[in-house]
């Protein structure tokens, strides 16, 4: 094996304090980028949670509706016309909206009502850990997520509260249905959803459409669009993409996350570049000796590049460990940080590029070395 | 074909620019041949080191020509000069210039590494070179754990391990006491005589004169005297047997 790696590692580890400083810089940078991008992914997933868990092929939405939580309404008669179209299995109106939840203590907190469809299963509570979802069809029953127990003053199935002055009873508990806006989702049946959100009987937030297995998807989509008039018809993928785009870029949240990530890259690059340059400067006489001995420039670049790669690998390994802990710690939080294998691979590539790019300054310095200087010392 | 490994003809070298311009060499002719240890002597500022740099392909002459193992250095760029050094020249520096974080064996192996020789064979060659200078037991020592004389012997092993045609040594005894200086000169003389290398030693140390086959004196960038060394001297006892 070539001594390039040995020389590079000895150069790095020889000055432990500087190596630690370099690691701190890289780890800080990579963890910052990792968290920002993890938040981005987590946010992106969270804003489409309901769309992801609906079993609809198409969403009929009021024109210009930007996301699942959009308060616009459409004419519910459209649902009847679509439901009878060829290739359509079912079409179900969905009503959503904000309402007030009064705890038994008298405290009031905002909630986000979602109408559950238990008959066709277009959208209903998921990840149910306790109680009976079917009971939502009876009386003023609700399903809530256990992560909001404190906020809603709920402790178990059977707990009671009031929504808009009407008494409700918790009949089902879910786990992990969290709202990125921190307003708890409350599942109720369609009729109650209208009452709690003040939505008129002839209106709905959207209509979810499911196709028959043998339906011609494109043909039915065109037919529904022709029938929809002012309303928009989107596939689930399109609606997911539109929601994500609105929350991440329409609100500036995504830009802020990207700006944080960019800052991390810049900070990391500057720190690594600075430490690599100073390390190279400290070893200039050794590089000059190599050059005097007849070493090619490529050999010397190899030493510097290996130094950068060692920085990248060690720094990334530490950062990945920290990232793993952060993921575990935020898994149950309002905004979990999501780190996918692809994100990890991209971050590793970014770390390598960042560290190698940081070596350019050192390489430029080394190129200017005059090997004759070894005879002057 | 002659025995000359390095030939300098009418070499002139100007250093610096404008008011700081210095004519360091003024038409030097010098040839180094195999099996001969040449001493290059002269006062400070006489052009010794500049001539060494030109012969060692660190600098190209302003005029005249230098040929190393048949390869002219005229017009060669930095990489081409480095290749000539890599293929034909071994250097020994006054300040050793060992890598402080590498062991003695690794320091020697580095000379092979830059030539693309890696692995077990390179490690063996490095150990053999260290044995040649009597330092195999210190193969795993870092330079900081070696005396000045031992460090210089490691540097010589590094210069010789790749079998260069010419060894250029700049004040190799300058930082050593008399005993260590003699050991180093014995090794360099044996390198010239027994391994048939051309060895040029730049020095102002008169104690090394007995090891010379030829003595060249330089002043103000001109070779002012060239005379034979003590060629009839008895061969110095070797410190260790040569095995390479």
């Amino acid at each position: 094996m070539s001594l390039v790696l040995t020389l590079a590692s000895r150069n790095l580890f020889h000055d432990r304090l500087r190596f630690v400083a370099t690691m701190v810089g890289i780890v800080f940078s990579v963890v910052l980028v990792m968290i920002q991008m993890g938040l981005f992914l987590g946010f992106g997933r969270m804003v489409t949670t309901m769309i992801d868990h609906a079993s609809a092929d198409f969403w009929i939405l009021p024109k210009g509706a930007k996301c699942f939580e959009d308060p616009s309404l459409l004419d519910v008669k459209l649902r009847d016309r679509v439901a009878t179209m060829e290739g359509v299995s079912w079409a179900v109106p969905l009503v959503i909206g904000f309402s007030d939840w009064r705890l038994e203590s008298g405290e009031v907190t905002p909630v986000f009502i979602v109408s559950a469809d238990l008959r066709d299963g277009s959208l209903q509570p998921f990840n149910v850990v306790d109680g009976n979802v079917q009971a939502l069809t009876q009386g003023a029953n609700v399903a809530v997520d256990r992560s909001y127990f404190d906020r809603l003053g709920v402790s178990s199935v059977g707990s009671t509260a009031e929504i808009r002055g009407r008494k409700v009873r918790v009949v089902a508990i879910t786990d992990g249905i969290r709202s990125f806006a921190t307003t708890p989702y409350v599942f109720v049946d369609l009729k109650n959803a209208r009452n709690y959100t003040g939505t008129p009987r002839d209106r709905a937030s959207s209509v979810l459409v499911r196709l028959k297995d043998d339906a011609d998807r494109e043909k039915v989509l065109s037919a529904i669009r022709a029938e929809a008039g002012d309303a928009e018809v989107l596939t689930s993928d399109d609606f997911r993409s539109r929601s994500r785009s609105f929350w991440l870029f329409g609100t500036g949240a995504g830009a802020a996350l990207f700006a944080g990530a960019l800052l991390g890259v810049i900070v990391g690059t500057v720190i690594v570049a600075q430490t690599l340059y100073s390390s190279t400067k400290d070893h200039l006489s050794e590089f000059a000796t190599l050059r005097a001995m007849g070493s090619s420039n490529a050999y010397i670049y190899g030493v510097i590049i290996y130094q950068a790669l060692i920085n990248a690998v060690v720094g990334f390994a530490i950062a990945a460990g920290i990232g793993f802990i952060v993921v575990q710690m935020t898994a149950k939080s309002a905004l979990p940080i999501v780190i996918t294998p692809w994100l990890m691979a991209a971050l590793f590539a970014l770390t390598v590029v960042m560290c190698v790019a940081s070596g350019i300054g050192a390489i430029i310095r080394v190129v200017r070395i005059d090997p004759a200087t070894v005879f002057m010392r | 074909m002659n025995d000359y490994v390095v030939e300098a003809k009418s070499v002139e070298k100007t250093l610096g620019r404008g008011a700081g311009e210095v004519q360091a060499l003024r038409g030097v002719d010098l040839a180094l041949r195999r099996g001969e240890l040449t001493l290059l002597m002269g006062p400070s500022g006489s052009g010794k080191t500049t001539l060494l740099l030109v012969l060692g392909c660190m600098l190209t002459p302003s005029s005249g020509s230098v040929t190393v193992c048949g390869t002219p250095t005229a017009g060669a760029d930095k990489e081409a000069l480095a290749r000539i050094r890599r293929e034909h020249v071994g250097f020994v520096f006054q300040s050793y210039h060992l890598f402080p974080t590498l062991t003695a064996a690794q320091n020697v192996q580095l000379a092979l590494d830059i030539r693309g020789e890696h692995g077990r064979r390179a490690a063996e060659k490095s150990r053999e070179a260290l044995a040649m200078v009597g330092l195999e037991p210190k193969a795993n020592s870092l330079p900081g754990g070696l005396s000045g004389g031992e460090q210089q012997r490691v540097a010589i092993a590094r210069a010789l391990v790749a079998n260069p045609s010419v060894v250029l040594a700049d004040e190799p005894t300058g930082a050593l006491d008399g005993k260590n200086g003699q050991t180093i000169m014995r090794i360099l003389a044996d390198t010239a005589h027994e391994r048939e290398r051309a060895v040029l030693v730049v020095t102002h140390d008169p104690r090394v004169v007995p090891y010379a086959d030829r003595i060249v004196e330089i002043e103000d960038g001109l070779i002012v005297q060239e005379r034979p060394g003590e060629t009839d001297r008895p061969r110095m006892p070797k410190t260790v047997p040569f095995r390479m």
Side-chain angles (χ1 to χ4, degrees):
Chain A
M1 196 175 80
S2 170
L3 286 174
V4 170
L5 183 59
T6 308
L7 198 52
S9 60
R10 300 276 172 86
N11 279 358
L12 278 181
F13 302 141
H14 184 60
D15 187 339
R16 287 183 189 147
L17 195 61
R18 178 164 48 206
F19 182 67
V20 169
T22 309
M23 284 303 108
V24 169
I26 295 173
V27 169
F28 171 79
S29 166
V30 176
V31 168
L32 182 57
V33 176
M34 189 183 285
I35 288 176
Q36 296 292 315
M37 296 313 296
L39 281 172
F40 183 84
L41 288 182
F43 193 61
R45 278 191 188 179
M46 194 164 251
V47 296
T48 61
T49 297
M50 289 298 175
I51 303 170
D52 294 340
H53 285 88
S55 57
D57 290 307
F58 303 139
W59 292 70
I60 305 176
L61 303 159
K63 190 169 182 64
K66 294 177 179 63
C67 59
F68 177 82
E69 291 79 8
D70 195 295
S72 311
L73 297 172
L74 50 68
D75 189 343
V76 81
K77 285 177 192 154
L78 180 59
R79 177 261 161 199
D80 299 330
R81 297 200 298 274
V82 171
T84 57
M85 290 174 71
E86 190 179 340
V88 173
S89 174
W90 47 251
V92 175
L94 175 76
V95 170
I96 51 107
F98 286 96
S99 193
D100 300 327
W101 175 284
R102 182 182 292 275
L103 285 68
E104 284 189 340
S105 64
E107 197 179 331
V108 176
T109 187
V111 292
F112 195 84
I113 302 294
V114 178
S115 67
D117 166 37
L118 298 171
R119 195 188 70 184
D120 295 315
S122 60
L123 180 59
Q124 57 182 318
F126 46 92
N127 297 344
V128 177
V129 293
D130 196 10
N132 176 17
V133 173
Q134 293 303 321
L136 286 179
T137 55
Q138 300 154 18
N141 292 339
V142 301
V144 297
D145 195 86
R146 67 178 173 192
S147 55
Y148 294 114
F149 272 7
D150 287 345
R151 178 93 68 86
L152 300 175
V154 170
S155 57
S156 63
V157 167
S159 296
T160 58
E162 281 183 13
I163 301 179
R164 286 207 171 175
R166 296 177 174 89
K167 189 164 184 177
V168 297
R169 192 168 69 94
V170 175
V171 295
I173 307 290
T174 62
D175 180 39
I177 306 182
R178 298 195 62 120
S179 160
F180 68 92
T182 74
T183 307
Y185 286 123
V186 175
F187 286 92
V188 301
D189 82 344
L190 180 61
K191 186 180 155 196
N192 287 331
R194 291 188 190 286
N195 292 334
Y196 299 152
T197 59
T199 305
R201 282 182 166 279
D202 61 343
R203 296 276 153 180
S205 305
S206 57
V207 173
L208 281 65
V209 179
R210 179 78 178 180
L211 302 183
K212 289 176 180 169
D213 291 342
D214 58 352
D216 182 332
R217 192 179 168 84
E218 291 305 315
K219 198 172 163 186
V220 178
L221 180 59
S222 299
I224 296 174
R225 279 182 174 155
E227 188 66 39
D230 280 347
E232 282 188 279
V233 186
L234 300 181
T235 64
S236 290
D237 283 344
D238 289 342
F239 189 32
R240 194 177 291 119
S241 176
R242 180 185 285 192
S243 295
R244 208 170 269 156
S245 175
F246 170 71
W247 286 114
L248 288 174
F249 302 108
T251 64
L257 292 170
F258 271 120
L262 183 64
L263 185 69
V265 173
I266 293 170
V267 168
T269 305
V270 169
I271 290 176
V272 179
Q274 204 270 332
T275 51
L276 261 184
Y277 185 82
S278 101
S279 164
T280 303
K281 220 172 156 192
D282 283 358
H283 293 95
L284 273 185
S285 73
E286 290 166 30
F287 288 122
T289 303
L290 276 175
R291 199 69 177 131
M293 288 163 61
S295 154
S296 64
N297 270 333
Y299 188 91
I300 294 173
Y301 300 161
V303 175
I304 294 171
I305 298 291
Y306 266 111
Q307 283 183 228
L309 290 176
I310 292 169
N311 278 335
V313 170
V314 178
F316 182 80
I318 297 170
I322 293 173
F324 178 76
I325 293 168
V326 170
V327 167
Q328 299 300 315
M329 286 172 64
T330 62
K332 298 286 181 188
S333 71
L335 187 49
I337 290 169
V338 175
I339 298 178
T340 62
W342 278 109
L343 176 60
M344 285 302 262
L347 278 174
F348 181 65
L350 177 72
T351 311
V352 169
V353 169
M354 183 175 81
C355 289
V356 172
S358 303
I360 290 173
I363 285 174
I364 289 171
R365 182 69 188 87
V366 161
V367 165
R368 298 205 304 256
I369 286 181
D370 179 359
T373 57
V374 293
F375 290 93
M376 312 303 172
R377 299 187 180 106
Chain B
M1 191 172 163
N2 57 38
D3 280 345
Y4 297 143
V5 178
V6 179
E7 275 187 286
K9 288 181 182 168
S10 308
V11 167
E12 295 187 359
K13 183 66 185 176
T14 306
L15 300 174
R17 282 182 182 178
E21 191 175 286
V22 175
Q23 183 90 29
L25 299 176
R26 304 164 183 266
V28 170
D29 292 298
L30 182 65
L32 304 178
R33 66 173 72 86
R34 292 182 187 280
E36 186 179 75
L37 190 151
T38 306
L39 286 189
L40 179 61
M41 305 185 79
S44 292
S46 59
K48 298 190 299 287
T49 302
T50 303
L51 181 55
L52 181 84
L53 294 174
V54 170
L55 297 176
C57 304
M58 302 271 192
L59 297 175
T60 49
S62 304
S63 68
S65 68
V66 173
T67 307
V68 179
C69 294
T71 307
T73 65
D77 61 15
K78 287 181 178 178
E79 279 299 287
L81 290 174
R83 188 166 55 248
I84 296 172
R85 292 198 296 273
R86 191 161 66 237
E87 290 173 356
H88 303 295
V89 187
F91 285 102
V92 178
F93 312 106
Q94 180 178 1
S95 309
Y96 327 131
H97 287 293
L98 298 179
F99 289 69
T101 56
L102 299 182
T103 64
Q106 287 171 326
N107 264 287
V108 176
Q109 197 177 334
L110 202 54
L112 296 170
D113 209 58
I114 63 170
R115 290 165 171 84
E117 286 188 54
H118 317 296
R120 187 177 297 171
R121 181 70 194 116
E124 282 170 9
K125 276 188 178 179
S126 306
R127 297 256 169 188
E128 287 168 12
L130 279 174
M132 187 181 74
V133 295
L135 275 182
E136 196 179 14
K138 302 270 179 116
N140 294 321
S141 300
L142 291 172
L146 301 175
S147 68
E150 288 171 331
Q151 288 188 56
Q152 193 60 296
R153 281 148 71 188
V154 173
I156 291 174
R158 180 178 66 184
L160 299 179
V161 69
N163 272 323
S165 303
V166 58
V167 175
L168 302 178
D170 182 37
E171 303 279 7
T173 61
L176 302 176
D177 60 24
K179 189 180 169 192
N180 276 310
Q182 287 199 8
T183 304
I184 295 304
M185 286 311 298
R186 274 186 208 128
I187 294 170
L188 289 173
D190 287 344
T191 299
H193 302 138
E194 302 202 0
R195 302 185 68 206
E196 290 290 303
R197 302 286 172 242
V199 177
L200 175 71
V201 176
V202 171
T203 185
H204 59 263
D205 181 357
R207 293 175 299 176
V208 306
V209 169
Y211 298 90
D213 298 302
R214 185 162 58 121
I215 298 168
V216 176
E217 291 188 18
I218 185 169
E219 274 185 41
D220 293 331
L222 281 170
I223 290 178
V224 293
Q225 190 181 34
E226 189 173 340
R227 56 190 162 91
E230 300 175 18
T231 48
D232 57 343
R233 65 175 166 72
R235 283 286 164 89
M236 296 293 165
K238 285 176 282 186
T239 49
V240 288
F242 278 82
R243 291 193 286 159
M244 291 184 74

